[in-house]
Amino acid sequence: MGIEHDYFGVIESDASGALYWSESVEAGDQAVDVSLSAPPQVTVSDEALEVAQAMIATLEGLDLRARESLVADLGTPASDVAAFLLEIEERFGAELSDFITRESGDLGIDVIRSLELLRVAFHPHQTGEGDTFVSLEFALAPDENDLALLVHLSMGGEPVSTDFLG
């Protein structure tokens, strides 16, 4: 048994009762995989689904907010963003400039601006202030490497955390 919503339609549940929905959504000039999931035995409110729908409708703004969070982390040497940049520089070396799509002269900013938004995952059961309601996965040259940054935002769109996947 699933739940029904005007935008998402029927959100199916699997044998264990977990809810799952996914679709490819246009954001700017690219298609982004968007999913919504909740574990079994949890309540998903109509309000959470409405917020997820609104965020999907303004995916470019959500992308911008996540990138601003990444820029804010640039100044922290021990951050996952700094570790990601070091690893990207090590992996690509002089070829890194081939993957930079917008140049300002600041490598960190240029990499963040050149990241591709790959996936957006909503967790509508996590609605608390410090909970991860939505996660955005970014990568530079995803066909060339497996390095990624995950930016986690709250239901209010505030940054919760960032993870480097490498």
Side-chain angles (χ1 to χ4, degrees):
M1 182 176 128
I3 58 175
E4 192 167 343
H5 184 266
D6 289 341
Y7 176 80
F8 297 105
V10 175
I11 302 172
E12 298 290 337
S13 61
D14 63 15
S16 70
L19 297 174
Y20 186 77
W21 172 92
S22 70
E23 192 169 295
S24 183
V25 175
E26 291 298 316
D29 60 351
Q30 70 178 38
V32 177
D33 292 329
V34 177
S35 66
L36 182 139
S37 62
Q41 313 302 320
V42 298
T43 302
V44 175
S45 71
D46 287 336
E47 177 190 11
L49 293 176
E50 293 300 316
V51 169
Q53 176 185 347
M55 287 181 168
I56 292 169
T58 59
L59 204 51
E60 290 178 54
L62 194 65
D63 177 321
L64 180 61
R65 184 170 287 176
R67 288 175 198 268
E68 288 171 351
S69 172
L70 294 173
V71 168
D73 284 351
L74 278 175
T76 307
S79 71
D80 283 339
V81 175
F84 174 80
L85 289 173
L86 287 172
E87 187 66 27
I88 284 288
E89 287 180 77
E90 185 176 305
R91 288 241 183 132
F92 289 112
E95 295 175 2
L96 181 57
S97 62
D98 295 345
F99 300 102
I100 301 296
T101 58
R102 299 173 68 190
E103 291 187 47
S104 69
D106 182 316
L107 183 61
I109 298 291
D110 294 346
V111 167
I112 290 171
R113 290 169 71 186
S114 300
L115 292 172
E116 184 178 332
L117 177 60
L118 302 177
R119 283 177 271 293
V120 177
F122 287 91
H123 314 284
H125 59 289
Q126 296 183 269
T127 58
E129 190 174 310
D131 291 342
T132 296
F133 182 76
V134 60
S135 300
L136 294 89
E137 182 179 347
F138 295 93
L140 183 69
D143 296 336
E144 304 292 325
N145 73 91
D146 57 352
L147 303 176
L149 281 170
L150 276 179
V151 178
H152 308 287
L153 304 174
S154 70
M155 189 169 164
E158 298 303 316
V160 174
S161 64
T162 301
D163 294 321
F164 168 37
L165 306 175

